[in-house]
Amino acid sequence: MNRSIKNSGGHIASAIIFPMLIVVMTSVATIFGLMSWSARLSDEAAEESQHKLLAGAVQLTQNYISKKQTGVVIWDEAFHAVNDPVPNRNWIRNNMMNWLSRNHGFTRSVLVDSDFEVASVYAHDENSDWMSPKVLDELRPAIAKVRARYITSFKKTPSGLFRFMPQNGDTHLSIAETGVVPLTGEPFMFTAAAVVPQIQSVFAERQPPAVLVSMIPLRGQKLAKISDMSRLDGFVLANEQTDRSGVGTYQLESPRGENIGVIAWQASRPGTQMLERINPFLAVAAFLIAAVVIAVTLFTRQMTKRLARSEAKAVHAASHDALSGLPNRSSFQALLTSALETGEQNGTNTAVVYIDLDHFKDINDTLGHSAGDRVIVAVANRLKQVLPRNGIVSRISGDEFAMVISKCENDEWLEYILDQVQDEIARPVKVGSREIFASLSMGAAIAPKDGKNPDELLRKADIALYDAKANGRNRRSFFEPTMEHHVQSKDEMSRELRLALRNDQLDLAYQPQSDTDAKKIVSVEALARWTKEDGTVVPPSQFIPVAEETGLINDLGIWVLNKACARAHDWPGVVVSVNVSPNQFKHPRFVEKVMAILAANDLPPQRLEIEVTESVFAGRDDSVLNALRRLKGLGVKVALDDFGSGYSSLSYLRRFPFDTLKIDRDFVSDMNGNPEAEAILVSIIQLGKALGMTIVAEGIETIDQIRFLQVHDCHRMQGYFISRPLTSVALSKFLKDFHNENSEDLAGSFDARPRAAKG
Ligand code: C2E
Ligand code: CA
Ligand code: CA
């Protein structure tokens, strides 16, 4: 069962939980992925704009230095100095190059004349070694551009002369070019511009200009300025390109496209920053989601397990009896069927045994249902213990069990098993401080001898059980074909009894009760008698239970009451005792019926006594006791019959004030010579007397019993020794004889008796 719970739990887990886990995990991963993707996008966008910003700043700086240079290149004097057939180098140095160095920090300058020859080289520290063919080569494209741009700015006029017409009207733009070049391993920002007159005149020919290239090292203030303008953090000039993340780079290239170095900065990465800010929350959210998922998973698993367990329980409950835990009737049928099939295949005998707890109803009725339950559980456990291997035991109904015993070797073997069952059950069951003695009756049928199909075997086992019960209980019977006849007779009996009642074929016998001195008959007990038309006598021990089972007891009881009350007039002064079964009290108008009968027969209630057994205390509702109270209130006497036979509780004696206590016949018969039985008897007599009851000892059969009872002052006696139950006619005669005899011999002793036992 446990395994199947796990299996179905695992099944549900894989069917629901795993897909759910995957969905949740994928969603979380997707969210994280999307977040970091969008962070990267925004980082990239930010870097691009930073890059543009820097490019702008570099360009602006270059424009700026270019503008600064304008002061010396757009200058008539310079133009002449440069283009003189013999250029005035000193003048150029001082007024152009040196001036630029001092005022604007152009630490290097070079003048290239219109023939593209280096005309003059300047360095602010007089160290002119910096100029080399390689440097010139680097600068060449820029210089060439300037020259070309300058020349092409001259447009031919209709007169055939060339006029200077700068692009966009901006002279400076038309004659200058900027960029970055490496000098002695260091990047320098340069501006190259044509040296031109202040006022552009008309020329007959287009002449290439001299070009002044001025340079500022890209470091210190210049770099700081670019950094300032671009507002980038951690701004550095590096030699090498770097791929480090979080670092923005700007490649410096020479006009020839050579790498000179990089400007690197601490890139601001808003996406990453946002992620960093948001990540703790995301982590917490993911954690919470994970926690919820885990909780839901665990809860679901728990639930599915519980479901599976309760399903298994329900399946078990449907096939098992809740109290004893044994298979119930419906599953027993299936178990029996398969056991019989196996038996048939193997060619072995299979026994079916019906078991019925004797007098279980009494235990339930007198000790309460919880005690009854304890007995059932104890019996169930003991049956399980003695059951041979492969055997089945099941609880069929309230106090009925059934067993299947496979591979039943022979009758002796089965008898041995059933003996063990009986021995086991004979041990008392402890309920609180009380020891309950249970016994059981068993009926067995054996396949294939007694039948092959389950129903037939069960029916026959039931018949055998009935036989065991009918033969005095606490025994077992094996099915025999003759038994079937008896069962039929039980059904027949109830039908016949109904007819007998309707046709007035029942009769009453009366058994006298005398005082202990046997001097006076104080009352007579009316006992139902049934002699069938064919003359067979059916004892009340057989037909009363049938009447109780079929509900016929109500009509029968009323008939007995009527008859006994009618006859009572024949025996003035004698009380008539009538047995009333508890079922009769359940009739809602029973008391009214008794009153009507008394009235109809003109009998004072004091002449009627009602005998009830302890089972009136059964059940929770007090309706029976209330009816008894009402009867007692009318004056009808109430006797507690068979005291000491069942589970007599002395507490019953307090629950209802009985007029009479009838000590059970078995008790009296146990008495002979048994000191313990005598002691109990004496104490019952004393107790009853203390409670103000009239004590009657039943079943008096010997003179010794009478003597004993006389010694102990028992009030009354009833039994064969006084008289057997008599017909009404015989009773009238008996009463007459009895009183005559006693009046003749007032001091008469019992030694002369028995005298009426033959009645
Ligand atoms: P009970 O009420 O205990 O009646 C006494 C039984 O003990 C009677 O058996 C009686 O014949 C028998 N008895 C009397 N003295 C002696 C004796 O000295 N020795 C022995 N061995 N037996 C003695 P009976 O008439 O067969 O009645 C059996 C039971 O049937 C009664 O037991 C009573 O419980 C029930 N019963 C009889 N008639 C009626 C009736 O009209 N209504 C109801 N509800 N039950 C009845
Ligand atoms: Ca009785
Ligand atoms: Ca009795």
Side-chain angles (χ1 to χ4, degrees):
M1 182 181 103
N2 240 338
R3 224 176 115 179
S4 79
I5 291 172
K6 272 187 196 150
N7 281 348
S8 75
H11 200 74
I12 298 177
S14 52
I16 299 174
I17 298 171
F18 293 140
M20 194 175 89
L21 269 179
I22 288 168
V23 166
V24 170
M25 271 155 53
T26 319
S27 319
V28 170
T30 310
I31 290 171
F32 269 99
L34 281 175
M35 299 283 298
S36 57
W37 180 61
S38 78
R40 220 183 57 222
L41 281 186
S42 96
D43 280 356
E44 278 169 11
E47 198 181 325
E48 200 183 313
S49 79
Q50 287 164 21
H51 198 271
K52 275 187 187 151
L53 206 61
L54 182 62
V58 169
Q59 191 57 55
L60 274 177
T61 310
Q62 286 176 349
N63 290 352
Y64 177 79
I65 60 169
S66 189
K67 272 263 160 52
K68 292 299 166 205
Q69 196 199 31
T70 323
V72 294
V73 290
I74 306 177
W75 188 12
D76 293 344
E77 279 177 83
F79 180 75
H80 294 300
V82 166
N83 289 305
D84 241 25
V86 186
N88 186 347
R89 288 184 205 283
N90 258 344
W91 189 94
I92 292 168
R93 259 186 94 76
N94 291 332
N95 295 296
M96 295 174 76
M97 296 171 165
N98 204 19
W99 187 88
L100 281 173
S101 172
R102 265 187 282 109
N103 291 296
H104 297 299
F106 290 98
T107 56
R108 306 266 194 278
S109 288
V110 59
L111 181 71
V112 175
D113 65 15
S114 53
D115 298 327
F116 224 127
E117 296 293 330
V118 174
S120 179
V121 176
Y122 171 87
H124 81 299
D125 49 4
E126 305 292 328
N127 180 5
S128 304
D129 287 355
W130 63 271
M131 194 55 202
S132 66
K134 191 172 175 281
V135 172
L136 187 63
D137 216 39
E138 287 282 1
L139 292 171
R140 196 180 296 278
I143 298 169
K145 261 190 205 162
V146 171
R147 287 162 62 101
R149 214 178 282 154
Y150 178 74
I151 290 173
T152 52
S153 292
F154 285 91
K155 300 281 172 341
K156 202 173 187 177
T157 58
S159 62
L161 298 173
F162 292 94
R163 178 189 285 277
F164 183 71
M165 286 158 65
Q167 279 175 350
N168 308 328
D170 186 334
T171 309
H172 171 248
L173 272 182
S174 301
I175 59 168
E177 182 66 30
T178 55
V180 186
V181 284
L183 289 189
T184 57
E186 200 187 341
F188 272 68
M189 206 172 245
F190 73 88
T191 169
V195 182
V196 297
Q198 276 155 294
I199 294 160
Q200 296 295 332
S201 40
V202 178
F203 291 93
E205 265 177 74
R206 294 198 281 204
Q207 283 278 335
V211 177
L212 177 67
V213 184
S214 307
M215 294 168 242
I216 296 178
L218 196 51
R219 64 168 122 90
Q221 269 191 337
K222 264 297 148 254
L223 207 56
K225 190 136 188 204
I226 295 173
S227 165
D228 258 11
M229 282 163 73
S230 59
R231 294 191 177 281
L232 297 174
D233 294 330
F235 198 91
V236 288
L237 189 65
N239 289 331
E240 301 255 321
Q241 179 69 283
T242 162
D243 267 347
R244 268 198 301 133
S245 73
V247 175
T249 54
Y250 178 81
Q251 188 77 48
L252 294 171
E253 276 179 6
S254 74
R256 284 207 174 279
E258 229 172 272
N259 287 346
I260 303 169
V262 276
I263 294 173
W265 68 93
Q266 201 61 50
S268 93
R269 292 156 42 101
T272 308
Q273 274 171 9
M274 177 204 69
L275 259 194
E276 277 164 3
R277 235 173 287 143
I278 229 172
N279 264 348
F281 296 104
L282 274 185
V284 169
F287 176 77
L288 285 178
I289 289 171
V292 168
V293 168
I294 288 170
V296 167
T297 309
L298 290 179
F299 179 73
T300 317
R301 288 198 72 157
Q302 205 61 30
M303 288 304 284
T304 50
K305 267 191 196 161
R306 205 177 293 168
L307 253 175
R309 218 175 293 142
S310 66
E311 188 190 318
K313 246 190 221 160
V315 169
H316 183 85
S319 61
H320 286 74
D321 163 52
L323 179 62
S324 65
L326 296 179
N328 61 16
R329 179 194 285 276
S330 61
S331 60
F332 177 73
Q333 194 83 17
L335 293 169
L336 171 62
T337 308
S338 84
L340 286 174
E341 276 166 11
T342 320
E344 196 173 345
Q345 277 163 17
N346 300 341
T348 53
N349 295 335
T350 307
V352 182
V353 186
Y354 252 129
I355 301 171
D356 190 285
L357 275 179
D358 297 334
H359 306 295
F360 180 69
K361 195 170 171 296
D362 289 353
I363 297 177
N364 245 348
D365 287 352
T366 56
L367 300 180
H369 287 272
S370 70
D373 286 355
R374 299 280 281 277
V375 172
I376 291 291
V377 171
V379 168
N381 288 336
R382 292 177 192 185
L383 287 178
K384 267 191 276 189
Q385 274 168 25
V386 289
L387 192 69
R389 273 212 301 148
N390 302 332
I392 301 159
V393 59
S394 149
R395 185 176 175 210
I396 298 298
S397 70
D399 59 347
E400 275 185 330
F401 297 85
M403 290 200 302
V404 176
I405 298 171
S406 303
K407 295 187 191 155
C408 188
E409 285 158 28
N410 49 40
D411 281 11
E412 287 74 41
W413 184 79
L414 184 59
E415 263 173 14
Y416 168 73
I417 301 278
L418 298 188
D419 278 347
Q420 278 188 315
V421 171
Q422 227 136 12
D423 289 350
E424 196 57 38
I425 301 304
R427 290 193 294 115
V429 179
K430 265 209 150 235
V431 176
S433 57
R434 196 187 272 267
E435 287 194 328
I436 298 178
F437 289 86
S439 68
L440 38 78
S441 306
M442 294 185 273
I446 300 165
K449 178 171 65 107
D450 296 327
K452 281 183 179 172
N453 91 8
D455 290 337
E456 187 185 1
L457 279 164
L458 283 173
R459 190 177 63 82
K460 290 185 171 166
D462 195 29
I463 290 170
L465 173 65
Y466 182 80
D467 177 81
K469 285 204 263 188
N471 283 299
R473 300 174 191 264
N474 193 17
R475 62 195 304 283
R476 52 161 193 268
S477 292
F478 286 15
F479 174 79
E480 273 162 35
T482 50
M483 290 175 183
E484 260 177 307
H485 168 73
H486 293 299
V487 178
Q488 286 162 1
S489 65
K490 183 182 161 186
D491 291 344
E492 233 168 73
M493 184 188 286
S494 75
R495 210 183 57 245
E496 284 177 347
L497 181 61
R498 184 171 284 114
L499 278 176
L501 193 60
R502 191 187 302 158
N503 300 336
D504 207 14
Q505 285 167 354
L506 296 179
D507 203 353
L508 283 183
Y510 303 90
Q511 187 175 34
Q513 246 176 47
S514 78
D515 60 351
T516 330
D517 294 334
K519 288 194 173 137
K520 194 168 184 290
I521 298 302
V522 235
S523 71
V524 288
E525 179 177 0
L527 295 161
R529 291 290 175 262
W530 179 22
T531 309
K532 292 207 234 170
E533 275 176 340
D534 63 3
T536 39
V537 174
V538 188
S541 59
Q542 275 179 26
F543 70 81
I544 295 290
V546 172
E548 276 175 339
E549 264 175 54
T550 53
L552 227 81
I553 193 73
N554 284 310
D555 293 345
L556 189 133
I558 295 300
W559 177 86
V560 172
L561 266 170
N562 234 323
K563 181 101 175 172
C565 289
R567 278 280 175 272
H569 290 290
D570 295 350
W571 316 301
V574 174
V575 171
V576 187
S577 260
V578 174
N579 293 290
V580 177
S581 90
N583 286 347
Q584 291 177 257
F585 285 100
K586 297 204 175 107
H587 199 283
R589 294 175 51 75
F590 177 69
V591 178
E592 282 71 20
K593 282 190 174 173
V594 174
M595 285 163 68
I597 289 168
L598 286 171
N601 291 291
D602 228 353
L603 194 72
Q606 289 75 15
R607 294 272 313 275
L608 179 64
E609 184 168 60
I610 276 177
E611 293 189 9
V612 294
T613 55
E614 293 169 335
S615 48
V616 289
F617 292 106
R620 246 158 243 145
D621 79 306
D622 283 341
S623 62
V624 178
L625 283 179
N626 285 338
L628 282 178
R629 281 195 193 101
R630 286 179 64 200
L631 286 173
K632 194 175 155 83
L634 288 173
V636 175
K637 292 194 175 63
V638 182
L640 182 60
D641 200 4
D642 299 345
F643 187 76
S645 68
Y647 291 89
S648 315
S649 165
L650 296 180
S651 68
Y652 294 154
L653 298 180
R654 278 201 324 210
R655 284 183 63 188
F656 186 80
F658 292 101
D659 299 283
T660 310
L661 187 67
K662 292 186 81 175
I663 302 173
D664 189 61
R665 185 167 76 226
D666 287 352
F667 237 93
V668 175
S669 64
D670 275 356
M671 180 181 75
N672 304 336
N674 179 341
E676 280 167 26
E678 287 179 3
I680 296 173
L681 195 60
V682 171
S683 57
I684 293 177
I685 294 170
Q686 285 169 352
L687 178 84
K689 279 177 155 177
L691 291 171
M693 299 179 189
T694 302
I695 315 298
V696 181
E698 285 190 287
I700 305 301
E701 291 182 352
T702 66
I703 185 74
D704 289 342
Q705 291 167 341
I706 294 187
R707 293 215 172 101
F708 182 87
L709 294 168
Q710 280 175 338
V711 168
H712 292 98
D713 268 345
C714 182
H715 296 131
R716 291 184 196 167
M717 302 179 299
Q718 178 181 350
Y720 292 170
F721 195 87
I722 314 292
S723 167
R724 286 183 175 263
L726 303 169
T727 61
S728 57
V729 178
L731 176 66
S732 297
K733 183 170 181 296
F734 174 83
L735 287 175
K736 215 167 97 198
D737 292 354
F738 190 88
H739 290 129
N740 284 343
E741 230 171 280
N742 274 330
S743 56
E744 278 165 19
D745 175 17
L746 280 174
S749 83
F750 284 105
D751 297 345
R753 302 179 192 191
R755 54 185 167 183
K758 47 206 163 327

